[in-house]
């Protein structure tokens, strides 16, 4: 048994983000504990995207190298781990990958979706799962502004410091490319969907925050142009809350997208 | 200011049911605390349906008599209470009712909905909000069996003891009437909807439990007939879990159903 790539989904509300922390209340910690119980040995995992506290995932990916003595067949992995996981975290799939494969560095595309709720009241069933924005919003203007993000840009105004960046920052570090963007209304919900080859830290939430300012008339397209086309040291001023963000899927050239064919779950 | 009828919704997962308990972790306790903070005086509330721990509501109703000194206008009540409530409980509406009105005893109809999830995996976003039934189920047979419940019956086989029943039980106590029943598939979800004039304790969950046994081939229509048409002391053997149950709405002859017109929330 060599390297395995897993797909998982989680409700981020009860967790302190992906990345392992001393307290142990993170998705990585809980998954590593389940994995250790399944293979009877410690086993580190490596995610495609290290989501922040409160951020959700429908198609997160991570890889691990279970010990050679482990004889769990691929199709039994989801059941073996789910039996040891809380119901807010589910492993959907496991597949064998070459030893050089890396869940993060081998990824060639990611899709994030951000959910805003426009109804006067936020349903108790959406608490912690959407950004509640019941007030006036120029949604058409937000849609036009979103289109400006499409393509390759220097996104340094839409990046927060994680603290572990290379220093000095290499040439082109902030250059990223979004090849599909959309703003869609479904009932009382407003979704921003972004597909790109790579994302900077908090990039999606900073983009959604800027769109919100556009929608409220506090930022215009000229201001957005300035942030996006002629980046200085200026930062986009508003980061949308974590609760609305979902990591939808991670793509690799070798594999079809998450959950092809019949959906394994709804909701 | 005299009697007020409130409509509310809640995610039942974090709460120990509706009815006040010493620990205080119930929906009633939390609502009474918010009400007391709003009117600066203790204020008891009375629900239409005292839902069990883990049971959800989209259209629960309760009434209260705020003190005469209280000057909150009707349309400000939801905001005044929601500001003091956790996001898993929302007050949707307040309306003035006559002093003799009672949220429970004046009700003339209730709708309950029960959600089953048929996908191989239960989405982390549906944990605690549906009964996960990924295995074989004869859904057509369940639909035929459900139709048998329609109309007026002696439902004593589908009633649990709450412990506060009148003793001796009055003639006709177990006679209830369901005038609309349905079993519907929506994607991976299977819904049982029941509308009736009154429900016995755990009646919906005992009916759904019996349908599940039909679906698994452990109970047939003859057995169901026996429980329903010729009730002896025999009890239906299976109670479906609380997490799938939703109190959808409560009706009164004087009022239109909950949230007429534009929905105030989705999800």
């Amino acid at each position: 048994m060599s390297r395995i790539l897993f797909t998982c989904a989680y409700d981020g509300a009860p967790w302190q983000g992906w990345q392992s922390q001393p307290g142990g209340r993170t998705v990585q910690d809980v998954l590593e504990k389940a994995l250790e119980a399944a293979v009877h040995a410690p086993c580190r995992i490596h995610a495609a995207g290290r989501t922040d506290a409160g951020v959700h995932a429908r198609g997160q990916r991570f890889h691990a190298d279970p010990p050679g003595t482990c004889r769990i067949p691929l199709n039994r992995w989801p059941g073996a781990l789910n039996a040891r996981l809380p119901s807010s975290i589910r492993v959907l799939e496991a597949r064998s990958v070459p030893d050089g494969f890396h869940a993060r560095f081998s990824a060639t595309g990611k899709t994030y979706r951000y959910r805003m709720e426009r109804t006067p009241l936020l349903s108790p069933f959406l608490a912690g799962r959407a950004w509640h924005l019941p007030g006036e919003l120029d949604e058409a203007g937000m849609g036009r502004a979103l289109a400006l993000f499409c393509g390759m840009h220097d996104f340094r105004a839409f990046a927060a410091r994680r603290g572990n960046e290379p220093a000095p920052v290499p040439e082109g570090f902030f250059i990223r490319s979004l090849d599909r963007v959309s703003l869609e209304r479904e009932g009382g919900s407003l979704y921003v969907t972004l597909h790109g080859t790579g994302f900077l830290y908090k990039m999606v939430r900073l983009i959604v925050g800027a769109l919100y300012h556009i929608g409220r008339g506090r930022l215009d397209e000229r201001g957005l142009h300035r942030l996006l086309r002629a980046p200085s040291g200026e930062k986009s001023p508003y980061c949308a809350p974590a609760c609305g963000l979902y990591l939808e899927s991670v793509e690799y050239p070798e594999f079809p997208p998450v959950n092809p064919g019949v959906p394994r779950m709804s909701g």
Side-chain angles (χ1 to χ4, degrees), chain A:
Chain A
M1 176 66 68
S2 54
R3 187 156 293 184
I4 299 180
L5 176 67
F6 296 91
T7 308
C8 70
Y10 46 86
D11 174 3
W15 305 106
Q16 316 234 280
W18 173 272
Q19 186 128 9
S20 186
Q21 278 180 23
R25 293 285 303 166
T26 74
V27 180
Q28 181 183 354
D29 288 316
V30 172
L31 279 166
E32 286 182 348
K33 227 175 85 185
L35 199 55
E36 176 168 347
V39 306
H40 310 294
C43 192
R44 285 302 289 277
I45 64 176
H46 304 269
R50 291 158 298 171
T51 53
D52 276 329
V55 174
H56 315 286
R58 293 187 191 277
Q60 169 73 289
R61 310 261 206 172
F62 63 91
H63 78 256
D65 297 317
T69 52
C70 171
R71 290 280 168 270
I72 301 174
L74 279 177
N75 63 354
R76 294 289 178 86
W77 270 110
L81 294 177
N82 287 333
R84 297 171 164 94
L85 286 169
S87 57
S88 59
I89 304 176
R90 292 289 94 178
V91 172
L92 312 180
E93 194 193 58
R95 56 170 86 214
S96 184
V97 288
D99 279 349
F101 184 97
H102 192 289
R104 180 147 59 108
F105 303 125
S106 304
T108 49
K110 272 189 206 156
T111 301
Y112 282 97
R113 204 166 197 215
Y114 196 97
R115 181 172 192 170
M116 287 161 272
E117 213 49 29
R118 304 279 293 125
T119 48
L121 286 170
L122 183 66
S123 161
F125 302 103
L126 291 178
R129 297 182 183 179
W131 186 15
H132 188 215
L133 293 175
E136 281 280 312
L137 270 189
D138 173 12
E139 295 182 16
M142 292 166 73
R144 283 191 303 273
L146 178 58
L148 299 179
F149 287 97
C150 206
M152 191 180 285
H153 302 286
D154 185 320
F155 281 100
R156 76 182 63 206
F158 299 92
R161 283 188 63 82
R162 190 168 218 144
N164 59 357
E165 290 83 1
V169 175
E171 179 80 14
F173 180 78
F174 294 108
I175 309 280
R176 303 289 155 128
S177 178
L178 296 179
D179 56 348
R180 290 195 300 276
V181 303
S182 72
L183 183 84
E184 289 159 300
R185 187 61 126 119
E186 287 179 24
S189 308
L190 186 65
Y191 294 98
V192 170
T193 309
L194 303 177
H195 178 272
T197 49
F199 290 83
L200 296 161
Y201 185 51
K202 292 200 177 166
M203 181 169 143
V204 180
R205 291 163 59 190
L206 284 160
I207 290 174
V208 172
L211 291 179
Y212 169 69
H213 274 244
I214 293 268
R216 297 290 290 172
R218 292 184 204 143
L219 179 70
D220 58 14
E221 287 196 22
R222 245 179 59 176
L224 193 56
H225 257 293
R226 209 176 56 228
L227 289 167
L228 201 55
R229 308 282 179 198
S232 56
E234 202 185 349
K235 289 282 185 189
S236 189
Y238 199 81
C239 183
C243 61
L245 185 59
Y246 295 74
L247 172 53
E248 288 290 322
S249 62
V250 183
E251 288 153 36
Y252 305 94
E254 305 89 328
F255 308 126
V258 180
N259 298 333
V262 181
R264 298 196 48 144
M265 57 179 202
S266 52

